[in-house]
């Protein structure tokens, strides 16, 4: 009997594996089909179960759907990100709630003192950024699970976006994300990925 292939060693079937990873691409162009509120809710209902420290869940998402809201964002983007953002069905501003600890009595009830552990703002901001970034990874996979494509962007003036959209002082903008139904891919072939042996080592003893 031949050894199982890597895809056969996973619990997900091959089609699901391809949908989430092998065939998924970072999207630039999208079709005109909208992304509905119901789809966004379904994505969040899936990805909210991804682990975060203290179950804090600091990621916050601000959706820009209208042309007017998108027009407010465009001046803060690098030139290479403006056209694709203007034409995307939906753009999300992804931010960390640096006061996420206020919800810990509800979200981490078996450790009532957890909120006080994070009273120091500097330590709290570091936790918020790290765990919200984890959640962004879950979100991108969740977008793919919905049959949509994600186009994450770091080329923007984060301080400017924060002033324009989230000036309350409790949110730190981390990333922008275009999402929608992908247009047929016409760009370059997929770039190479590192092999397992280049990434994974085992320490014996």
């Amino acid at each position: 009997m031949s050894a199982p292939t890597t895809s056969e060693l996973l619990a997900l079937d091959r089609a699901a594996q391809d949908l989430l990873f092998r065939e998924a691409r970072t999207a630039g162009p999208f079709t005109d089909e909208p992304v509905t509120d119901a789809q966004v809710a379904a994505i969040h209902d899936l990805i909210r179960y991804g682990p975060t420290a203290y179950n804090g869940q600091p990621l916050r998402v601000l959706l820009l759907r209208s042309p007017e809201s998108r027009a407010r964002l465009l001046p803060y983007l690098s030139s290479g990100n403006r056209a694709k953002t203007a034409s995307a069905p939906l753009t999300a501003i992804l931010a960390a709630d640096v006061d996420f600890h206020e919800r810990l009595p509800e979200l981490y009830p078996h450790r009532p003192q957890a909120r006080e552990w994070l009273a120091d703002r500097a330590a709290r901001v570091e936790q918020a950024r790290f765990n919200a970034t984890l959640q962004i990874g879950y979100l991108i996979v969740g977008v793919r699970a919905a049959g949509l494509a994600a186009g994450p962007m770091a080329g923007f003036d984060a301080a400017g976006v924060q002033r324009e959209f989230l000036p309350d002082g409790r949110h730190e903008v981390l990333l922008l994300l275009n999402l929608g139904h992908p247009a047929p891919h016409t760009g370059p072939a997929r770039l190479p990925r590192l092999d397992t042996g280049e990434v994974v080592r085992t320490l014996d003893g």
Side-chain angles (χ1 to χ4, degrees):
M1 180 181 294
S2 60
T5 65
T6 54
S7 63
E8 292 171 337
L9 291 169
L10 302 175
L12 290 174
D13 64 32
R14 178 73 190 217
Q17 297 169 31
D18 290 345
L19 177 69
L20 297 180
F21 293 101
R22 295 191 190 92
E23 301 299 328
R25 301 293 300 266
T26 299
F30 299 92
T31 70
D32 294 333
E33 188 174 352
V35 177
T36 67
D37 289 337
Q39 286 174 303
V40 173
I43 292 166
H44 178 257
D45 189 58
L46 174 65
I47 66 103
R48 64 184 176 149
Y49 295 102
T52 54
Y54 312 111
N55 194 36
Q57 306 167 61
L59 178 66
R60 301 293 180 265
V61 181
L62 179 64
L63 300 177
L64 306 184
R65 196 184 295 280
S66 69
E68 294 79 12
S69 62
R70 209 76 57 79
R72 289 171 56 193
L73 177 66
L74 296 182
Y76 300 104
L77 304 184
S78 63
S79 58
N81 286 331
R82 288 175 188 159
K84 60 186 178 184
T85 300
S87 62
L90 186 63
T91 299
I93 298 174
L94 307 180
D97 179 358
V98 300
D99 290 333
F100 73 96
H101 69 309
E102 294 175 355
R103 300 290 301 274
L104 290 184
E106 169 193 354
L107 298 174
Y108 205 57
H110 57 293
R111 292 288 187 274
Q113 66 273 38
R115 179 168 55 188
E116 283 63 48
W117 293 345
L118 293 166
D120 178 71
R121 181 179 173 85
R124 193 169 71 243
V125 168
E126 182 178 359
Q127 284 282 345
R129 287 178 56 88
F130 177 79
N131 286 284
T133 302
L134 277 179
Q135 289 185 278
I136 289 171
Y138 308 147
L139 176 61
I140 291 172
V141 176
V143 168
R144 293 174 173 183
L148 304 173
M153 298 176 293
F156 65 98
D157 175 1
V161 172
Q162 203 157 298
R163 287 193 306 270
E164 181 71 25
F165 293 95
L166 295 166
D168 56 11
R170 69 175 290 159
H171 295 96
E172 186 169 333
V173 175
L174 301 176
L175 197 72
L176 303 179
L177 186 74
N178 290 330
L179 59 155
H181 295 266
H185 182 72
T186 58
R190 183 183 290 282
L191 295 171
R193 264 40 178 191
L194 296 174
D195 291 330
T196 303
E198 300 176 276
V199 176
V200 180
R201 296 187 301 147
T202 300
L203 180 62
D204 296 316

